[in-house]
Amino acid sequence: MKKFNQVLGDDERLRTQLELLISPACSCKQAEVCVREITRKLANPKQPTNPFLEMVKFLLERIAPVHIDSEAISSLVKLMNKSIEGTADDEEEGVSPDSAIRAGLELLKVLSFTHPTSFHSSETYESLLQCLKMEDDKVAEAAIQIFRNTGHKIETDLLQIRSTLIPILHQKSKRGTPRQAKQAVHCIHAIFTNKEVQLAQIFEPLSKSLNADTPEQLVTPLVSLGHIAMLAPDQFASPMKSVVANFIVKDLLMNDRFPGGKNGKLWSPNEEVSPEVLAKVQAIKLLVRWLLGMKNNQSKSANSTLRLLSAMLVSEGDLTEQKKISKSDMSRLRLAAGCAILKLAQEPCYHEIITPEQFQLCALVINDECYQVRQIFALKLHKALGKLMLPLEYMAVFALCAKDPVKERRAHARQCLLKNISIRREYIKQNPMAHEKLLSLLPEYVVPYTVHLLAHDPDFTKTQDIEQLRDIKECLWFMLEVLMAKNENNSHAFIRKMVENIKQTKDAQAPDDGKMNEKLYIVCDVALTVITSKSTTYNLDSPKDPVLPAKFFTPPDKDSCNNKCYLSDETRTLLLTGKPKPASVLGAVNKPLSAAGRRPQTRTPGLETGSNISGNSAPNSPATNRGREQNSEVPETEVSENEEHPVILLTVVPTKTDKKDEPVRNKEMSSEQSLPPQTSTERGKKRTAPAAGSENIQQIPEEKKSEETAAPVPPKARRGRPPKAVSESNSAKNADTNKPSGRGRKRVAANQESPAEPETTTIKVPKQQETNVKRAPAPRQMDLQR
């Protein structure tokens, strides 16, 4: 490069050729001539192999326009014009004219990002104006985006185009589709110097015409107002605050004017969502865009917005709690609230004020009862983490995916973890300055956040309940398995040291709550049990002393040392062994769903490649599948089905690694597989006292009551809220006869109407037969309907 720079300094003609080559106005033909002249000048006939010339050729190939220039764009536009005029041979090619126009616009849109200057001609923009006037919404949207990407010189060079374009953009921002409105506002902001005047002419009439009684006319104005507030926050700070306080929150979000449908579905297609809910979703997005535009919390608006979003999650989407809104609409609003918190967390000034409680509420969206909510939320979480836009603590949310009943979701979560961990490690290697920010970049530092999040899991109510501890273990191993796949820089010892350090601190969220701190230490002991059973290098010296996040943990107490083990030897053995069952690495994370949130025991051999637990399930094996089978689904479902008239279910807590217990478990699975799908109306809730003591259900002698007299299940307290009064529970129980609990453990079936038959299939056996059940293995997958 130094030699090439010296040659350019000495040879003016060569320098002129290179300047023309890198000019945006250079055509493909001109580029060919320039490359030929430069290479001829640098060639040395006496030196057949010239590394210097090869390097220059490589650079010229990268910068020279080969296919796309102004002439090529003009030819594409002419072809599209023929389709618009109906003179093209599209139908002979087997393509309709509308499809040809749409495809042409999409191609031009892609090229507008990479070759914007090639579009700068009156002929090209005239054709794009014709596209803006077409009825096809996607064609008009693509045309607006092309103007946004390429029209920076329209205002000075093409006044006729400018005068025609401005009214069209104003019309699209007020009455176009939401996507057209967004592009129109951004186009005005990008290509016009008097954008303040233009945006004000849009903002004022829209802000005055907002009417919550006509929600079908609200979506486009809310989109435009939100993007205007984000692009010009200072100009519209005062009027936007008035719009937010008086209309967005007071009139729109805090009112349910129209009753929702009662189809019982947890998700509906976009066209079936009520206009009021679509307007509320856009109102939530407007709040986020408004705050992202301000990028400060001087007015404390972010605090009140976060409280509103948290209330939306606590109420499961029904903010007014008037029960006017349908379940599918509630799912939409829960998703919108969760994604809004994710978006605000990407801005440092707002991440600082998100409390641990609000973070936990946001995290629980990934365990929502609605499959689509879990799916979309996980995608947005992964996308933001992959761009290093979200703080590291949000990667801990994926640990909760171990409880997801659908194998595709668990597989996706595991791939997200692998990808994000790889991105962060690669970033640290390539950026020496990143070593100063290891606390926010090093993947191993997700462990403290994971421990804290699991300690506050609302499903973790009894500190010594083996089923709940297995749930905790599964979530921890879901994260640790990926982190510990490679022992880079003695990371196993580093993780172990980090968990041990947590035991010397207290929970910063509730430092004086002895029960909460005990939960935290128990999760630490479960983590240490897993680490010591999976690693052979955990006892080496840690490469460095870990730093714990002060937002979640208090400084360690130097005057005392917490060496207490909060797990008994029997509990540790049960956590590590349980029921022996061979499974694969994929199977351990990706178990299929059978029905009503249960997963079958049997699997095809083809899915069992690469097992991460041995066939004998020794104490050193993860036992991932067993924990998820008998923890994630069984305790919840058996409580919800039987807590009114408890019976002894054929589910036995194993004390030995003996295969004879497995067929007993299969009896219960078989009965659940035969059930029609149920509708779960509550996400993972904080359990009430009867639900928490699921292990005591087997001890109540109610087995003589008939199956037909089984009463409906009382609804669980909502996640994130204290349990409701008994009277409220009883009234809710009488109002809804089939509300099984489960944080994201119920997959939505095609038919959302819950039949009343499932109670009749609950297995009941006399209490004295319980020991016989343990001893006498039943045939696998026996048909309980006989």
Side-chain angles (χ1 to χ4, degrees), residues 109 112-113 132 140-150 179 183 187:
K109 185 176 76 172
S112 70
F113 287 99
L132 283 176
E141 178 194 337
I144 296 174
Q145 190 159 1
I146 293 172
F147 272 111
R148 171 187 171 184
N149 295 340
T150 66
R179 295 183 65 87
Q183 294 298 337
C187 184

Side-chain angles (χ1 to χ4, degrees), residues 403 454 457-475 519 522-523 526 575 627 630-632 635 639 687-689 691-695:
K403 298 185 176 186
L454 293 175
D457 188 339
D459 289 344
F460 186 27
T461 56
K462 293 181 71 68
T463 55
Q464 297 302 323
D465 183 275
I466 189 62
E467 303 295 343
Q468 294 184 19
L469 290 176
R470 278 202 184 101
D471 267 350
I472 297 295
K473 191 204 79 169
E474 292 305 318
C475 292
K519 286 185 179 181
I522 287 175
V523 175
V526 174
L575 286 177
Q630 53 200 38
N631 304 335
S632 298
V639 168
R687 295 176 177 170
T688 54
S694 59
E695 76 284 3

Side-chain angles (χ1 to χ4, degrees), residues 614-721:
S614 68
N616 296 325
S617 188
N620 288 339
S621 64
T624 308
N625 284 325
R626 292 188 307 275
R628 188 174 295 111
E629 280 183 354
Q630 53 200 38
N631 304 335
S632 298
E633 282 75 48
V634 174
E636 277 192 317
T637 310
E638 67 187 12
V639 168
S640 64
E641 290 177 355
N642 300 295
E643 66 181 356
E644 184 69 14
H645 293 283
V647 294
I648 300 175
L649 292 180
L650 296 181
T651 306
V652 183
V653 177
T655 56
K656 299 179 181 179
T657 59
D658 195 342
K659 291 258 183 181
K660 65 184 180 181
D661 289 334
E662 187 171 328
V664 177
R665 170 68 182 150
N666 283 332
K667 279 188 177 184
E668 185 184 78
M669 285 297 186
S670 182
S671 74
E672 287 300 318
Q673 291 169 7
S674 64
L675 298 183
Q678 299 184 26
T679 303
S680 172
T681 58
E682 300 199 4
R683 294 144 45 235
K685 317 287 192 301
K686 197 168 185 177
R687 295 176 177 170
T688 54
S694 59
E695 76 284 3
N696 297 325
I697 291 176
Q698 299 180 357
Q699 303 172 6
I700 304 176
E702 295 284 348
E703 55 282 310
K704 292 184 180 181
K705 294 196 176 184
S706 65
E707 296 176 358
E708 289 76 10
T709 59
V713 180
K716 304 293 184 298
R718 287 179 216 182
R719 169 154 271 190
R721 302 185 68 178

Side-chain angles (χ1 to χ4, degrees), residues 297-356:
N297 191 35
Q298 295 176 357
S299 62
K300 304 296 180 182
S301 299
N303 296 92
S304 56
T305 301
L306 285 167
R307 287 194 297 270
L308 177 70
L309 297 173
S310 300
M312 184 78 74
L313 292 175
V314 168
S315 62
E316 299 184 355
D318 187 6
L319 194 58
T320 64
E321 298 188 337
Q322 297 176 358
K323 300 189 182 301
K324 288 184 178 181
I325 188 170
S326 69
K327 297 186 184 304
S328 59
D329 289 346
M330 289 168 63
S331 296
R332 293 270 178 173
L333 292 172
R334 289 196 303 272
L335 175 62
C339 292
I341 295 177
L342 285 184
K343 199 74 175 176
L344 290 175
Q346 297 175 34
E347 191 62 45
C349 67
Y350 299 134
H351 166 244
E352 295 173 359
I353 63 173
I354 295 177
T355 65

